[in-house]
Amino acid sequence: MNVNSAEMTGVVESRPRALEILDCLDGEYSNNIARDIRDGLTSSPRYIPCKYFYDARGSRLFEEICRLPEYYPTRTEISILREIAPHLMETLDYSDLVELGSGSSLKISILLDAISETNRASMRYIPVDISESAVIESSKDLLERYPELPVLGVVADFMCQSDVLPAERPKMLCFLGGTIGNMEEGDSISFLRAVSGNMRSDDTLLVGFDMVKSREIVEAAYNDSRGLTSEFNRNILNVVNNKLNADFKPHLFEHLAFFNESESRVEMHLRASRDVSVRLESIDMEVEFKEGETIHTENSRKFTIQGIEDMVDRAGLYVQDWYMDADGWFSLVLMGRKPSGSV
Ligand code: AVJ
């Protein structure tokens, strides 16, 4: 779909400047939940796609996780962003700043703070997310803070709809937080390739990657002492309950998170603490769990410099700038599109 043909669902009333929302979802998304959950719970081992973590409660829990001392990715990425913001934003007037998977208005405001009000008024912030409420939330914060900033919220599944983005001006796309690590290698390359296919030659793409580090540090980040990650993990069962009229009892499932070093990823699972049977009314499905049986809920890949370089190259992109913290825990990689013909 293309922006011009996208349906306008209306202008959200809000005190500062008008927020425009483009709804590009094609209705397939909601139907997919039934299929995704059926596929996931009938395969072996069972899984639930991690995009279903993020209902209102899940998003709130994730935000709290980001403030935990053990959860190093957020603060490390923020410290890098603070350092590079002035340099990154130097050339960004009269451009679009696109955030894929909105929800980190703090990170975007670090970038916007680095430029003048006049320059901000000449740009546009475009949060893109599958959840309309996430788009509105991240827009509202920024509109309040920067009344001069034009904001266009785009509701779309950017994993498969990277063609919904406007192209009349140069843009910097941001995909922060290490979320690219949730995708399998092949999917992340197809995703980057799809994005690069919709980039102009003067566009840039800034991607956050969580790097490989010691098992202790990584595992602590996903097994926090306050148990928030455990709550976050089990909340996916509440989401399934609500969406599919199911009767999962989240407290009968234990949170499991470990660093699978040979796959270079953290895995999260839910393990039945006793025999459990679950009914999913809306899809007329019954699932039996034996004690100890698991549901795989998330992979969070940890990257090496070489691994990122290979991926970037295979996606038709090249590395323009590479930013890392002193410990090498997190990377922000600024990419450009390779001239066509050189892919
Ligand atoms: C939002 C996908 C980057 O993988 O670290 C946090 C999600 N899962 N704690 C991550 C998450 C468990 C997070 N990402």
Side-chain angles (χ1 to χ4, degrees), residues 15-272:
R15 264 187 308 111
R17 196 162 173 142
L19 160 62
E20 271 182 81
I21 301 279
L22 274 179
D23 190 346
C24 305
L25 281 183
D26 45 21
E28 222 191 272
Y29 172 68
S30 51
N31 302 334
N32 281 345
I33 294 178
R35 201 185 59 205
D36 287 349
I37 302 301
R38 176 175 290 284
D39 286 354
L41 293 183
T42 49
S43 67
S44 161
R46 296 179 171 119
Y47 68 87
I48 297 176
C50 64
K51 66 179 175 189
Y52 296 116
F53 277 128
Y54 302 95
D55 68 344
R57 178 165 184 263
S59 303
R60 210 165 50 237
L61 282 166
F62 177 64
E63 261 172 50
E64 282 184 64
I65 288 170
C66 289
R67 290 194 291 268
L68 290 169
E70 296 102 324
Y71 194 73
Y72 63 83
T74 310
R75 70 180 135 80
T76 310
E77 185 178 41
I78 285 175
S79 74
I80 304 170
L81 277 174
R82 289 221 158 90
E83 209 156 300
I84 67 175
H87 170 68
L88 268 185
M89 300 302 284
E90 242 164 36
T91 54
L92 266 206
D93 41 349
Y94 302 103
S95 305
D96 288 330
L97 178 62
V98 180
E99 187 183 21
L100 300 174
S102 61
S104 52
S105 59
L106 169 64
K107 292 176 191 170
I108 291 299
S109 65
I110 292 170
L111 297 181
L112 293 170
D113 277 342
I115 59 175
S116 71
E117 196 177 312
T118 321
N119 279 0
R120 279 196 298 265
S122 78
M123 327 180 15
R124 190 161 54 156
Y125 169 59
I126 307 182
V128 186
D129 202 283
I130 196 157
S131 145
E132 182 173 38
S133 62
V135 168
I136 292 174
E137 273 312 303
S138 56
S139 307
K140 268 202 321 211
D141 283 1
L142 290 170
L143 280 165
E144 244 158 66
R145 194 161 168 168
Y146 312 106
E148 71 283 0
L149 178 74
V151 176
L152 169 69
V154 176
V155 182
D157 184 352
F158 59 82
M159 298 294 183
C160 45
Q161 296 184 291
S162 52
D163 57 341
V164 298
L165 300 172
E168 63 272 16
R169 302 199 297 181
K171 58 183 175 293
M172 179 166 83
L173 300 132
C174 300
F175 191 40
L176 302 175
T179 303
I180 194 164
N182 283 164
M183 300 178 208
E184 307 277 325
E185 164 147 50
D187 291 343
S188 57
I189 291 170
S190 338
F191 163 71
L192 290 176
R193 208 176 268 154
V195 174
S196 75
N198 287 285
M199 281 165 71
R200 307 172 8 149
S201 59
D202 53 351
D203 287 349
T204 53
L205 169 63
L206 183 69
V207 184
F209 295 93
D210 194 13
M211 306 301 281
V212 169
K213 59 187 68 60
S214 80
R215 170 182 291 276
E216 293 69 40
I217 293 163
V218 171
E219 290 189 341
Y222 293 83
N223 291 283
D224 64 278
S225 53
R226 284 177 55 199
L228 287 175
T229 309
S230 163
E231 275 307 297
F232 173 74
N233 194 6
R234 288 189 293 198
N235 184 58
I236 207 167
L237 301 179
N238 293 323
V239 175
V240 175
N241 283 348
N242 294 334
K243 297 275 186 202
L244 297 179
N245 194 14
D247 62 359
F248 271 107
K249 294 191 181 67
H251 66 276
L252 296 181
F253 289 82
E254 281 171 82
H255 165 71
L256 206 68
F258 55 87
F259 192 14
N260 179 339
E261 271 174 296
S262 64
E263 297 285 342
S264 198
R265 69 190 189 202
V266 170
E267 295 182 12
M268 295 213 305
H269 303 262
L270 290 164
R271 181 168 56 193

Side-chain angles (χ1 to χ4, degrees), residues 180-181 185 207-214 259 261-265 300-313 319 322 324 328-333 335:
I180 194 164
E185 164 147 50
V207 184
F209 295 93
D210 194 13
M211 306 301 281
V212 169
K213 59 187 68 60
S214 80
F259 192 14
E261 271 174 296
S262 64
E263 297 285 342
S264 198
R265 69 190 189 202
S300 188
R301 288 157 68 209
K302 306 303 163 197
F303 295 87
T304 60
I305 293 177
Q306 185 64 57
I308 296 170
E309 280 174 344
D310 290 349
M311 203 159 78
V312 168
D313 185 60
V319 174
W322 195 301
M324 231 191 305
W329 282 8
F330 201 92
S331 288
L332 278 166
V333 182
M335 308 168 193

